[in-house]
Amino acid sequence: MIVANNASPQQVVSALQDFVAQNTSPLWVAFSGGLDSTVLLHALTQLRLSNPKLNLTAVYVHHGLQAAADDWQSHCKQICDNWLVTFFAIPVEVKAVARQGIEAVARQKRYEAFAHLIRDQGVLLTAHHQRDQAETVLMALARGSGVQGLSGMTPETDKTFQSTQLHQARPLLNVPYEALLAYATEHQLFWVEDPSNQNIDFKRNFVRHEILPKFNQAWSFSEQNIALSASLLHESASLLEQLALIDVGDKNCSVYGLDLQVLDGLDWARQKNVLQYWFQTHLKLGINQSIFEWLRHTLASYRSSSSPSFALANGYVLRIHGFSLYCLCQAELGRPYHYDFENFSKLSLRYPFKTLISPKWFLSHQVDFAWLREGLSIRSIHPSDLQAMPGLKTWFKNHKIAPWLREIWPVLAYENQLVAILGFKTLSQYQNPPV
């Protein structure tokens, strides 16, 4: 393989110096013990010598997929002990599921573990580099991805797992792999080798060992140029996002749903652009050609009296109701809930389990706030509540409340007694301050 002859360990140092200078949050390093993450962690410990306030933690995720995983965990802990870095090891269970390979499931479980550990207490750093970016772009090309997919990985990104936000940064994304290898050699670092990385049955490994070497033989600096193309496509994707915002205007396009009137008067290319924007920006999900085709076919013949749905591979379902498009967690539809009011408020007034209800419904009840005290709770509606509130079914219909939301609509209760159907009506005895 032809390698970049201008690769230097200093490229690793410079990239991390730039990142650390712009970031004051605690840094959580995804540490597998391999070459890439070992270089990342070591370089950060060297920067810490001149920046003692640099808060470093290393996290090893034990997938249980390799017989040597326990040894790798011990290796990582020993390295962190030697380098005076706080160390966490998290076990996860990985099972292949329908329509997802073991790689995808392991990656999902890994990031879920990171999110639940870190939450909003810092930034997750991963050691993705320029070669990883080239592999990602080539794999996206093979899948028939559009501009967004072909733009590859971004230097920083936000992910959401069960309402838990995770901020991820890739400070080495523009650094050649050879620079990481040169850094490791210069500092005489030791790392573990995962034998599965040589298995070309995995698509990324096939690209790495069979495709990229041929590119590098034919074109000098091909990895660098592929990464450059990804950067240019990222700029194009940003322009498409701006166009989507123009097309959306003042219509609803949020985590609560997409107003399908947004699509009126747009050609199919711009409709797809709006849909992709909604999926990626608000739902944090990818959208593929089969979803596009279902939406195109369904919207062409849609009638408001129908409620079509489309199951996604990740346990979510798309539903159309009342000229709005929703994306719902199928397993949680209709699941009852009960919270004391204080705790529910800390969840930003959103129904847990990802079936979300717009905050406007929480703002339109007339309960006197003197009642907001111990004993007040918010729960899902009971059948008996319908009897206590005549006219509720008509109100649901007039306000175009989706059927699946009617089943779990929020009710305010005081010592388990009905106080109000949020957005609809408050019992008269609770509209005045308590005596």
Side-chain angles (χ1 to χ4, degrees), residues 133-152 207 211 215 226 229 233:
Q133 181 74 301
E135 294 167 359
T136 299
V137 172
L138 290 176
M139 292 173 68
L141 184 63
R143 288 193 299 265
S145 297
V147 172
Q148 187 70 40
L150 292 173
S151 65
V207 171
I211 303 300
F215 268 77
I226 292 172
S229 293
L233 285 165

Side-chain angles (χ1 to χ4, degrees), residues 141-384:
L141 184 63
R143 288 193 299 265
S145 297
V147 172
Q148 187 70 40
L150 292 173
S151 65
M153 297 178 284
T154 56
E156 298 194 34
T157 188
D158 290 307
K159 303 176 186 289
T160 303
F161 300 95
Q162 299 177 343
S163 300
T164 302
Q165 289 287 119
L166 175 67
H167 185 69
Q168 177 187 1
R170 305 177 178 98
L172 302 179
L173 192 58
N174 293 317
V175 177
Y177 167 78
E178 292 77 23
L180 275 71
L181 187 58
Y183 182 98
T185 302
E186 180 178 277
H187 291 274
Q188 300 181 341
L189 302 182
F190 295 92
W191 59 90
V192 299
E193 295 283 359
D194 184 345
S196 68
N197 289 336
Q198 304 302 316
N199 184 353
I200 61 173
D201 290 338
F202 296 126
K203 289 183 172 62
R204 181 174 290 274
N205 289 343
F206 183 82
V207 171
R208 178 177 303 160
H209 299 299
E210 300 292 329
I211 303 300
L212 264 180
K214 292 180 171 58
F215 268 77
N216 289 327
Q217 285 178 355
W219 295 281
S220 299
F221 307 108
S222 61
E223 294 173 12
Q224 177 180 335
N225 291 335
I226 292 172
L228 174 60
S229 293
S231 178
L232 295 173
L233 285 165
H234 180 70
E235 292 178 1
S236 298
S238 297
L239 292 175
L240 289 173
E241 181 176 325
Q242 293 177 42
L243 177 61
L245 287 170
I246 293 172
D247 288 338
V248 167
D250 59 356
K251 299 291 194 302
N252 178 45
C253 178
S254 68
V255 72
Y256 306 111
L258 173 66
D259 186 342
L260 292 174
Q261 295 180 75
V262 169
L263 307 181
D264 291 347
L266 302 181
D267 61 29
W268 177 231
R270 288 177 72 166
Q271 288 181 353
K272 287 199 299 181
N273 187 50
V274 169
L275 291 166
Q276 180 144 326
Y277 168 78
W278 179 59
F279 261 75
Q280 294 180 337
T281 303
H282 296 293
L283 306 180
K284 310 300 182 185
L285 297 172
I287 184 169
N288 58 33
Q289 194 61 32
S290 63
I291 299 173
F292 278 134
E293 289 303 320
W294 176 79
L295 285 168
R296 186 177 193 179
H297 173 78
T298 303
L299 294 176
S301 58
Y302 175 67
R303 299 292 181 271
S304 60
S305 58
S306 63
S307 186
S309 64
F310 182 87
L312 305 180
N314 54 7
Y316 287 81
V317 60
L318 292 177
R319 286 195 177 183
I320 300 177
H321 176 79
F323 297 103
S324 286
L325 177 62
Y326 301 89
C327 184
L328 309 165
C329 182
Q330 198 163 17
E332 307 298 349
L333 290 177
R335 179 176 293 187
Y337 56 93
H338 189 285
Y339 286 94
D340 66 74
F341 195 87
E342 180 182 0
N343 287 344
F344 196 88
S345 299
K346 291 178 181 177
L347 296 174
S348 302
L349 297 181
R350 60 169 60 177
Y351 172 67
F353 317 124
K354 292 190 178 297
T355 301
L356 303 179
I357 299 173
S358 173
K360 70 179 181 179
W361 300 114
F362 293 92
L363 302 178
S364 55
H365 62 86
Q366 294 83 34
V367 180
D368 191 285
F369 276 80
W371 284 102
L372 298 185
R373 63 187 190 186
E374 186 177 356
L376 193 69
S377 63
I378 189 164
R379 59 168 171 80
S380 50
I381 196 168
H382 295 164
S384 59

